[in-house]
Amino acid sequence: QAVLSAWVSVAPITKQPSSRNAMQLKLLIGAALAYKALGAKLDINQKVYIEGQPVLGDGAGEGILNTCQGFAKQHVSNPKAPEVQVCGTGIKMTVYMRGRCADYYEHQVTVGKCDKGAPSTTCDSFSPADDARFGHYQSYKVEQC
């Protein structure tokens, strides 16, 4: 009982959080937000394919996330390519007519379903069969929704 009395007198119980606890909470929240901003790992349903080959997810990793990528020469030179497919509901792919992922009037297409209410196996595709101009597009960027 004497030990308990000594502990209570050293560490009083208060209803208000100490400034140290408040600071720790702010740091924890800040770290969580920074982790999200840096891009937490994607789940296994988030995948991007170009001409049937994975470029994100499905064994290809996540290295292209949030970076501008150019299509391979064989895709740019072939007016019937590329066919792109974006699977999952947490990513989208913006495809640009110009290189360097630069907007050019209405010549960019967003592929992907950013709908958390849709099934996780949802896929969206686009190709020159949908719009012949797409066969001349040169670059793309994959981003989280």
Side-chain angles (χ1 to χ4, degrees):
Q1 193 174 21
V3 174
L4 181 59
S5 296
W7 183 81
V8 170
S9 65
V10 172
I13 299 173
T14 62
K15 292 184 180 183
Q16 299 294 324
S18 70
S19 61
R20 182 177 178 177
N21 288 346
M23 181 60 79
Q24 287 175 340
L25 181 60
K26 287 179 185 177
L27 288 172
L28 180 63
I29 292 170
L33 291 172
Y35 180 73
K36 175 138 177 83
L38 289 174
K41 289 188 77 63
L42 299 174
D43 67 53
I44 62 170
N45 298 304
Q46 312 309 309
K47 304 171 190 175
V48 177
Y49 300 90
I50 298 174
E51 290 295 312
Q53 297 299 311
V55 295
L56 183 135
D58 202 13
E62 299 176 8
I64 68 165
L65 195 62
N66 300 316
T67 61
C68 182
Q69 302 291 313
F71 283 113
K73 288 183 182 183
Q74 67 267 24
H75 299 148
V76 175
S77 64
N78 180 357
K80 295 183 189 240
E83 177 183 353
V84 299
Q85 182 181 43
V86 177
C87 296
T89 58
I91 57 172
K92 64 181 178 178
M93 175 186 212
T94 305
V95 187
Y96 301 87
M97 177 176 270
R98 298 179 118 182
R100 302 175 313 279
C101 299
D103 287 349
Y104 183 66
Y105 297 99
E106 74 278 1
H107 301 292
Q108 52 272 334
V109 174
T110 300
V111 184
K113 302 289 185 198
C114 292
D115 179 3
K116 295 293 183 185
S120 60
T121 55
T122 297
C123 291
D124 190 23
S125 298
F126 203 83
S127 74
D130 299 300
D131 182 342
R133 297 175 294 181
F134 194 70
H136 302 284
Y137 282 37
Q138 299 179 23
S139 61
Y140 64 93
K141 186 185 286 188
V142 179
E143 301 170 291
Q144 291 178 285
C145 299

